[in-house]
Amino acid sequence: MIGIQRKTLKGVPTLTVVDSARQDEPLPVFIYFHGFTSAKEHNLPQAYLLAERGYRVILPDSAYHGDRDQDLSKDELNFKFWDIVYQNLKELQDIKDELDRENLIKDRRIGVGGTSLGGITTSAALTMYPWIQASAVMMGSPKPVDFAKQLVDEIEYFGLQIPLSQEKMDELFDFLGAIDLSKQMDKLYGRPLFFWHGDADPVVPFEHSYDFYNEAIKYYKNPENIRFLREVGRDHKVSRFAILEMVNWLELVL
């Protein structure tokens, strides 16, 4: 029987989805981050499918989301987007450390994935954490600098004011440059990487991940370790087809 446990790991509210009969033994781990304005519970379908196949799946709530909601307005939340990514990256290491402390990771088999905001987090994490063994990016961008510039252009187009000084904007782009996987492909280290993206996505540009994939595949001695799944006509919503393909692929590589 697959169980769902509410746990707080280093201050982060999470759901752990795992076979109840094996919940105390070391297992391969997959940490999956939700999307913007979503919450950990929304990713239970993929977590359940992975747990059925023997994985321990950790679903964290990002800052200002789910159990950590602070009743911010949409505009207030929008301007915290990159703060949330930064916090996700810090808390990813905290969660991994706690799982290590409890001896719950089998043979260092640990992967990271996410949807949209979570996919952006996942791509960025690959620039920081060599311990990640495999990743899945679902309609996320591995080009945070380009994506941030697009968001700034959209804000200015609608005549809105960005509540950041030029100094703070420069600091933001310095930070994004440091976690921009498209500028640090040597940090892929040939690790298995799965992309899914709908080519009619109006929120996160399809071309960011697709163009990245076509460049990144040159860095793989084994091209089977990187896969891009394009879904024609799909908008900014992960399909059941995408979830099943991600789960099937992860079972082969993690």
Side-chain angles (χ1 to χ4, degrees), residues 81-82 114-124 137-148 150 179-182 195-197 201 203-210 212 236:
F81 186 90
W82 297 112
T115 300
S116 192
L117 167 69
I120 291 169
T121 296
T122 299
S123 296
V137 177
M138 312 296 276
M139 64 188 190
S141 173
K143 298 185 175 186
V145 171
D146 289 351
F147 188 49
Q150 173 187 309
I179 61 167
D180 192 317
L181 186 59
S182 70
F195 285 99
W196 171 86
H197 215 131
D201 188 340
V203 179
V204 179
F206 168 82
E207 292 77 13
H208 282 197
S209 54
Y210 186 62
F212 174 89
H236 196 68

Side-chain angles (χ1 to χ4, degrees), residues 89-161:
L89 292 169
K90 176 181 177 296
E91 292 172 350
L92 174 58
Q93 182 67 58
D94 291 339
I95 292 168
K96 191 260 187 183
D97 289 346
E98 186 65 13
L99 295 170
D100 272 335
R101 189 187 67 79
E102 297 180 13
N103 193 31
L104 293 176
I105 305 172
K106 183 177 181 179
D107 301 330
R108 295 183 293 177
R109 292 167 61 191
I110 181 167
V112 179
T115 300
S116 192
L117 167 69
I120 291 169
T121 296
T122 299
S123 296
L126 289 171
T127 70
M128 299 174 62
Y129 302 128
W131 50 258
I132 297 172
Q133 299 297 304
S135 298
V137 177
M138 312 296 276
M139 64 188 190
S141 173
K143 298 185 175 186
V145 171
D146 289 351
F147 188 49
K149 288 179 178 177
Q150 173 187 309
L151 295 176
V152 168
D153 289 345
E154 289 176 359
I155 290 168
E156 292 177 344
Y157 176 81
F158 287 105
L160 301 174
Q161 187 173 359

Side-chain angles (χ1 to χ4, degrees), residues 59-245:
L59 303 176
D61 266 334
S62 295
Y64 311 110
H65 289 74
D67 292 342
R68 307 168 80 178
D69 179 50
Q70 295 187 17
D71 199 27
L72 300 179
S73 71
K74 184 66 184 300
D75 285 344
E76 288 173 321
L77 194 58
N78 283 338
F79 286 119
K80 290 187 178 297
F81 186 90
W82 297 112
D83 292 336
I84 297 166
V85 171
Y86 172 81
Q87 192 73 7
N88 279 349
L89 292 169
K90 176 181 177 296
E91 292 172 350
L92 174 58
Q93 182 67 58
D94 291 339
I95 292 168
K96 191 260 187 183
D97 289 346
E98 186 65 13
L99 295 170
D100 272 335
R101 189 187 67 79
E102 297 180 13
N103 193 31
L104 293 176
I105 305 172
K106 183 177 181 179
D107 301 330
R108 295 183 293 177
R109 292 167 61 191
I110 181 167
V112 179
T115 300
S116 192
L117 167 69
I120 291 169
T121 296
T122 299
S123 296
L126 289 171
T127 70
M128 299 174 62
Y129 302 128
W131 50 258
I132 297 172
Q133 299 297 304
S135 298
V137 177
M138 312 296 276
M139 64 188 190
S141 173
K143 298 185 175 186
V145 171
D146 289 351
F147 188 49
K149 288 179 178 177
Q150 173 187 309
L151 295 176
V152 168
D153 289 345
E154 289 176 359
I155 290 168
E156 292 177 344
Y157 176 81
F158 287 105
L160 301 174
Q161 187 173 359
I162 299 173
L164 293 175
S165 66
Q166 187 59 51
E167 181 181 2
K168 290 295 184 182
M169 287 291 291
D170 291 343
E171 289 178 5
L172 171 62
F173 279 103
D174 285 345
F175 162 66
L176 296 180
I179 61 167
D180 192 317
L181 186 59
S182 70
K183 302 179 185 300
Q184 304 172 69
M185 290 194 185
D186 57 308
K187 291 186 177 178
L188 288 166
Y189 307 132
R191 289 176 287 180
L193 177 55
F194 177 92
F195 285 99
W196 171 86
H197 215 131
D199 64 9
D201 188 340
V203 179
V204 179
F206 168 82
E207 292 77 13
H208 282 197
S209 54
Y210 186 62
D211 291 348
F212 174 89
Y213 163 78
N214 285 315
E215 182 64 26
I217 197 169
K218 302 171 189 174
Y219 288 77
Y220 280 79
K221 291 181 180 178
N222 179 4
E224 295 298 316
N225 275 351
I226 183 168
R227 184 184 179 200
F228 190 95
L229 186 61
R230 174 180 191 157
E231 194 162 348
V232 176
R234 191 70 182 182
D235 58 7
H236 196 68
K237 185 176 181 181
V238 178
S239 64
R240 174 170 170 78
F241 166 71
I243 291 171
L244 292 173
E245 288 295 309

Side-chain angles (χ1 to χ4, degrees), residues 25-43:
E25 65 182 81
L27 296 172
V29 170
F30 196 66
I31 302 170
Y32 195 92
F33 289 93
H34 61 71
F36 191 60
T37 73
S38 185
K40 59 187 181 305
E41 291 83 3
H42 295 195
N43 294 316

